[in-house]
Amino acid sequence: MQAFNKKLLVLGMGGTIAGRSQAQGDNVGYRAGELPVESLLPRGVNDVECLANVQIETRQIAQMDSKDMDHATWFVLARAVLAACADEAVAGIVITHGTDTLEETAFFLSQLFTPSKPVVLTCAMRPATALSPDGPQNMVDALCVAANPSADGVWVVAAGAVHRPTQVAKVHPYRTDAFSSGETGPVGVVEEGRLRWLHPAGGNSFARTPSTAASRQFEGSSNLGPDANALLARLESQGLPRVEWVVSHAGVTPAAVTTCLMAGGEGGAVRGLVLVCTGNGTFHQCLTKPLRDAEACGVWLRRSTRCTQGSIVVGATSVDWPVAMPLDPVKARIALSLDIARHDLAGLTPQATAPVPG
């Protein structure tokens, strides 16, 4: 019997990596989330040097196309990750996930808590039944990162690159190297089972910067503050506070704000808005009044940018709405939701008690 000195846990969420198509040559006409997670482990995985003495266990958390990801599934996954991090027998966690919302799930987990073990999300752009699937190599690379004690924190591993959740984004709808960390580049690479850091591994979490008039910035929800279990329990019982986007564009009207705030339905009242700005945090003048009205009613506001690279350089402006730096709109929305939830959990005076403007 082989003696193992380390255990890794693989949590399956479905996605293309578990997808199946009718024809091997079909890389687009497939159904995601068809194969069980245990079938995704490549044969001979323990022949890889860094995995030679590693026991690999699998657990199916969900089986879905990640385009359909929802908050309730996030909470189930987060519970499993928290439990695994508390288990002394588990050295690292790998999460197999669909590519469409992988960056959102990774960022949510990274902002919920700071794990003392590697938590590595991986994926595939081709289904498992493809002639040349990319999932098996991505799985091996992710396992190698999860087995590396220097990799504590949440990471995304795909196409041989290691990305921070705060910076990674899916930038191509088809290529196998569909993920990018923009101008910063990946933080590391996996080369034949060996993890090589290109940048310091630390710093997956954000720290809040001081608020100073028009220059105040917001850099994502801090991992300090309430215990992750307490925060997660509140999210499970009350859901993530509802945050929506307002995109500034040519021809936009004030209705972009007012209609968004008046929308009801599942999720409750809108507690926050992320303003997706043009360029360096600017936006159409017609949005100023409805946004100020919303703020007066207690709606939280954050600014992000439509630009795919760089971040907003804050200077003296006519508005004092924090900038979600350096987060893109997708992650800024999650960060604001968590910030509001932490505010609520701390028992601070609610900011969204007044009715929204009609």
Side-chain angles (χ1 to χ4, degrees):
M1 180 179 293
Q2 183 174 359
F4 297 110
N5 57 22
K6 186 178 295 187
K7 182 168 78 171
L8 301 179
L9 178 63
V10 181
L11 304 176
M13 299 292 289
T16 298
I17 193 170
R20 177 162 42 198
S21 60
Q22 295 297 316
Q24 281 190 306
D26 189 353
N27 290 334
V28 293
Y30 60 88
R31 291 180 60 89
E34 290 280 298
L35 301 178
V37 63
E38 61 265 21
S39 70
L40 305 183
L41 294 175
R43 291 182 180 179
V45 65
N46 288 116
D47 293 337
V48 179
E49 182 179 355
C50 67
L51 302 175
N53 297 309
V54 172
Q55 177 186 4
I56 303 172
E57 293 187 1
T58 61
R59 185 182 309 162
Q60 197 78 49
I61 301 298
Q63 190 67 292
M64 64 192 306
D65 189 323
S66 78
K67 69 178 177 59
D68 299 319
M69 184 56 63
D70 54 62
H71 294 165
T73 305
W74 272 359
F75 304 156
V76 173
L77 174 62
R79 274 289 171 209
V81 172
L82 283 172
C85 285
D87 186 348
E88 294 183 359
V90 175
I93 301 105
V94 170
I95 301 168
T96 59
H97 198 287
T99 60
D100 285 343
T101 56
L102 180 145
E103 64 207 70
E104 296 180 62
T105 299
F107 182 74
F108 171 75
L109 292 174
S110 74
Q111 295 300 287
L112 183 66
F113 74 124
T114 304
S116 58
K117 302 174 182 179
V119 177
V120 185
L121 287 86
T122 194
C123 55
M125 290 297 292
R126 295 173 181 169
T129 53
L131 287 172
S132 180
D134 54 324
Q137 187 62 59
N138 285 344
M139 173 70 88
V140 170
D141 290 347
L143 288 166
C144 290
V145 174
N148 193 307
S150 72
D152 57 294
V154 182
W155 309 99
V156 171
V157 172
V162 183
H163 301 275
R164 297 186 195 277
T166 51
Q167 295 161 336
V168 70
K170 184 177 180 180
V171 297
H172 200 280
Y174 181 75
R175 291 189 324 223
T176 55
D177 59 338
F179 287 88
S180 171
S181 288
E183 61 186 2
T184 65
V187 72
V189 291
V190 185
E191 300 163 327
E192 295 299 317
R194 297 176 180 87
L195 172 59
R196 177 164 64 92
W197 295 111
L198 303 177
H199 303 291
N204 251 344
S205 61
F206 281 117
R208 198 183 311 278
T209 57
S211 298
T212 56
S215 66
R216 79 186 154 112
Q217 304 171 3
F218 179 81
E219 297 195 349
S221 298
S222 171
N223 284 300
L224 306 175
D227 176 80
N229 281 291
L231 178 59
L232 184 54
R234 183 177 181 88
L235 297 179
E236 289 167 332
S237 64
Q238 300 188 24
L240 267 173
R242 185 174 171 188
V243 173
E244 301 291 349
W245 291 347
V246 173
V247 181
S248 182
H249 57 83
V252 70
T253 69
V257 177
T258 56
T259 302
C260 179
L261 292 174
M262 292 172 63
E266 189 174 352
V270 173
R271 299 284 308 279
L273 291 175
V274 171
L275 178 57
V276 185
C277 298
T278 49
N280 191 36
T282 59
F283 52 90
H284 199 291
Q285 61 183 356
C286 79
L287 298 177
T288 302
K289 184 181 185 305
L291 286 170
R292 287 198 182 281
D293 290 344
E295 184 181 36
C297 291
V299 175
W300 298 52
L301 300 178
R302 297 284 185 266
R303 285 182 291 161
S304 185
T305 177
R306 292 172 13 178
C307 297
T308 58
Q309 294 191 30
S311 58
I312 297 172
V313 179
V314 180
T317 65
S318 60
V319 297
D320 185 24
W321 298 327
V323 173
M325 295 178 63
L327 304 177
D328 62 25
V330 172
K331 300 186 183 79
R333 175 182 168 273
I334 298 169
L336 180 53
S337 288
L338 285 171
D339 198 52
I340 296 171
R342 284 188 169 91
H343 181 278
D344 293 345
L345 184 61
L348 301 178
T349 302
Q351 290 198 10
T353 55
V356 299

